[in-house]
Amino acid sequence: MGFEKNILCIGAGYVGGPTMAMIAHKCPQYRVTVVDINPKRIAAWNSGTLPIYEPGLDEIVKEARGRNLFFSDRIDQGIQEADIIFVSVNTPTKDFGAGAGMAADLQYWEKTARQIREVSRSQKIIVEKSTFPVKTALAMERILTATANGVRFDILSNPEFMAEGTGIRDLEYPDRVLIGSRETPEGLTARDELVEIYANWVPQERIITSNIWSSELSKLVSNAFLAQRISSINAVSSLCEKTEADITEVARIIGMDSRLGDKFLNASIGFGGSCFKKDILSLVYMCRQYGLDEVAAYWEGVVRINDYQKERFVLNMLETMFNTLAAKRICLFGFAFKANTGDTRESPAIYVSRRLLEERAELVITDPRALVNAEADLADVQGQVTFAEDPYEAAVGCDAIAVMTEWDIYAAMDFTRIYETMRKPAFIFDGRNILNHEDLFTMGFNVFPIGKPPLTHFC
Ligand SMILES: NC(=O)c1ccc[n+]([C@@H]2O[C@H](COP(=O)([O-])OP(=O)(O)OC[C@H]3O[C@@H](n4cnc5c(N)ncnc54)[C@H](O)[C@@H]3O)[C@@H](O)[C@H]2O)c1
């Protein structure tokens, strides 16, 4: 059967895989191919165990794979056959040279752009799916048109707003799909082609179009606002701990103001994930480049508070456990940066683990989906950490449990049973405020939530 369009995605990661699976699932009339330079990742996408865990992903991949969804490492062939190419490669923080530790590392998309230029023989629409600094599309246009081989490329910006853990639902019912284009006749025609793809399942009023720079900037700003909200509530949580105010009550009260809304007001150990920190730092770097130092400092504060929150958590553990953690056995409940994902990139659990090891604590880590990544993240301190699938087993003989990830299973556990197996006095540090603190206290635990008074049996 002939397909109406050939769609290619370069980058088979947390974004490329699920987004393309959704397009293939909703649009059997298109052929969708996902390519990657990492052959192991491609092999995993073609296997029974996908390389990432995302609720609902297995089902849609298995339904479409081999029908109109293909995973391949033949990048050149994929480019040649494609009408539309999504670029979904990683854009991590640069760790060398100018802007190290702050600017986005753009080498991956640049290589991709050059490869597209070298092998293309026919006109293509190139879609920025990765999160890029503003004006990347201009650089991309310049690279793609640097040789006069007569092939036409139109660049669009179509940033992805899905959140890991709810990625499939977000892709199926997005709050909005954003498509930025050049406002030339060719740019608008290319934009309409991409609108047509999403219109297969997304209501027209949720597909919004804008100029290409607004689109690039909106993605960065959207992540900066989300992270800012977490840092705001976390900053207040530290004040609650000093004043006997309760962050859950404060969040409920301010969240009832319809101007503020009640989302993203859970105080916690801090945000993680591959995007928030790197995107804010990229925004900060961009502001500095434009001479906007005050604006840069404002956004940088969001990251600073997040770092402070993680360190505060560790210092609180140290102080409350009698100012020494040496040889104390501490169990981390969860290692993923949030629930319902196996992703551990920038997870606060990494920072907390390293700090606890510095204090010479013994660590036991459990997580229902992230243990493989956790072991890789802590490979350099192998031997100092134990990994356990079963949280009950993990807690045996521990002095403390620290909740790092808000997995539902932890709230539903039998803590009386856990308490029996732990060393005394037993501590719980609830870095996500998901447990029933009163019940735990009654069982005998000393309980330290975020942003509310601790419940301890010490006079
Ligand atoms: N993870 C998220 O929740 C999320 C959400 C929205 C936007 N984003 C953005 O999407 C982009 C991708 O994020 P991700 O989490 O999917 O990253 P990822 O690291 O999981 O995936 C990127 C993939 O691109 C591949 N790649 C790199 N260079 C390549 C090349 N030249 N040719 C072919 N493949 C190449 C890598 O091997 C990797 O598999 C980033 O810009 C990120 O900021 C991520």
Side-chain angles (χ1 to χ4, degrees):
M1 171 181 114
F3 289 100
E4 270 178 37
K5 284 187 211 301
N6 268 315
I7 296 174
L8 178 75
C9 177
I10 301 180
Y14 285 86
V15 168
T19 48
M20 292 304 118
M22 184 56 71
I23 293 179
H25 169 66
K26 294 289 185 184
C27 314
Q29 70 276 30
Y30 306 150
R31 181 187 162 94
V32 181
T33 306
V34 189
V35 292
D36 203 289
I37 37 169
N38 179 346
K40 275 201 200 139
R41 226 174 195 184
I42 291 299
W45 280 110
N46 281 320
S47 76
T49 310
L50 302 184
I52 62 174
Y53 170 70
E54 191 63 50
L57 178 65
D58 267 39
E59 290 79 352
I60 62 167
V61 167
K62 285 173 188 165
E63 178 234 11
R65 199 171 54 189
R67 179 192 69 194
N68 68 326
L69 176 64
F70 302 91
F71 295 92
S72 161
D73 55 9
R74 293 159 77 178
I75 302 178
D76 284 355
Q77 185 189 340
I79 293 172
Q80 277 168 359
E81 290 173 358
D83 308 306
I84 300 184
I85 300 178
F86 287 82
V87 176
S88 185
V89 298
N90 36 329
T91 51
T93 301
K94 206 175 162 195
D95 61 4
F96 58 91
M102 191 138 287
D105 185 346
L106 302 176
Q107 60 173 311
Y108 303 98
W109 78 253
E110 216 213 89
K111 276 191 199 124
T112 302
R114 287 175 191 275
Q115 191 173 9
I116 293 172
R117 185 188 69 197
E118 297 316 319
V119 303
S120 290
R121 301 285 171 267
S122 57
Q123 177 173 344
K124 297 181 196 308
I125 295 174
I126 311 298
V127 184
E128 296 178 344
K129 183 51 105 181
S130 302
T131 306
F132 291 123
V134 185
K135 297 281 171 167
T136 300
L138 183 63
M140 193 148 343
E141 275 173 4
R142 286 180 177 158
I143 287 174
L144 288 170
T145 55
T147 54
N149 66 358
V151 175
R152 180 178 175 80
F153 297 101
D154 289 291
I155 322 281
L156 298 172
S157 161
N158 171 223
E160 186 47 61
F161 293 102
M162 60 156 248
E164 286 175 36
T166 53
I168 298 304
R169 196 188 65 208
D170 296 346
L171 289 168
E172 189 160 17
Y173 306 105
D175 287 348
R176 76 304 205 188
V177 167
L178 171 60
I179 302 172
S181 68
R182 288 287 202 177
E183 280 152 326
T184 57
E186 296 82 3
L188 297 178
T189 305
R191 181 193 76 186
D192 291 346
E193 253 202 69
L194 189 53
V195 168
E196 190 189 309
I197 293 178
Y198 284 106
N200 281 287
W201 78 97
V202 180
Q204 283 285 354
E205 66 274 13
R206 288 186 184 262
I207 305 176
I208 48 177
T209 56
S210 73
N211 89 37
I212 197 158
W213 321 124
S214 308
S215 172
E216 288 179 331
L217 182 59
S218 298
K219 172 62 196 180
L220 285 178
V221 170
S222 174
N223 273 353
F225 268 62
L226 289 168
Q228 178 211 43
R229 199 138 156 120
I230 297 174
S231 279
S232 296
I233 201 73
N234 283 343
V236 176
S237 77
S238 64
L239 189 57
C240 286
E241 286 166 31
K242 299 278 184 210
T243 58
E244 292 176 47
D246 180 322
I247 195 66
T248 306
E249 292 179 351
V250 174
R252 192 167 73 89
I253 295 159
I254 63 174
M256 286 176 77
D257 186 325
S258 59
R259 294 168 302 178
L260 295 172
D262 59 2
K263 304 258 172 61
F264 258 57
L265 283 178
N266 288 331
S268 70
I269 171 88
F271 60 74
S274 64
C275 293
F276 282 179
K277 184 173 173 189
K278 92 168 162 65
D279 289 349
I280 294 175
L281 293 177
S282 168
L283 188 65
V284 167
Y285 187 73
M286 215 161 51
C287 291
R288 292 230 168 92
Q289 279 187 312
Y290 287 109
L292 303 169
D293 290 339
E294 285 78 3
V295 183
Y298 173 76
W299 287 112
E300 205 166 13
V302 173
V303 176
R304 241 192 344 263
I305 287 290
N306 200 53
D307 291 342
Y308 169 72
Q309 188 76 349
K310 291 183 280 189
E311 178 62 10
R312 220 167 63 73
F313 188 80
V314 174
L315 291 182
N316 190 28
M317 288 178 86
L318 176 63
E319 195 184 312
T320 54
M321 294 173 81
F322 320 118
N323 289 309
T324 174
L325 296 176
K328 290 215 169 87
R329 203 168 164 81
I330 298 174
C331 177
L332 300 191
F333 269 21
F335 203 84
F337 84 92
K338 67 193 290 199
N340 299 317
T341 178
D343 195 355
T344 60
R345 292 177 293 178
E346 294 292 337
S347 175
I350 299 175
Y351 179 85
V352 170
S353 298
R354 292 190 181 284
R355 284 288 288 109
L356 293 176
L357 289 174
E358 266 173 36
E359 295 294 338
R360 310 246 168 115
E362 292 171 16
L363 274 193
V364 188
I365 294 174
T366 181
D367 189 289
R369 294 281 176 184
L371 282 191
V372 173
N373 284 333
E375 285 188 48
D377 292 331
L378 299 176
D380 58 318
V381 287
Q382 220 181 17
Q384 299 175 56
V385 186
T386 310
F387 298 92
E389 298 222 338
D390 179 349
Y392 289 102
E393 259 172 45
V396 173
C398 286
D399 297 276
I401 291 171
V403 179
M404 295 285 102
T405 312
E406 71 279 23
W407 288 104
D408 284 345
I409 48 163
Y410 297 143
M413 287 180 66
D414 177 353
F415 278 93
T416 309
R417 177 180 155 196
I418 291 174
Y419 182 75
E420 296 304 319
T421 68
M422 287 178 67
R423 278 167 60 183
K424 310 294 178 319
F427 295 81
I428 287 202
F429 298 89
D430 186 355
R432 298 287 180 171
N433 282 352
I434 54 166
L435 304 181
N436 186 326
H437 303 138
E438 295 287 342
D439 283 1
L440 293 170
F441 175 67
T442 309
M443 288 169 205
F445 282 105
N446 297 294
V447 188
F448 294 83
I450 301 269
K452 33 181 109 200
L455 301 170
T456 76
H457 298 280
F458 308 125
C459 312

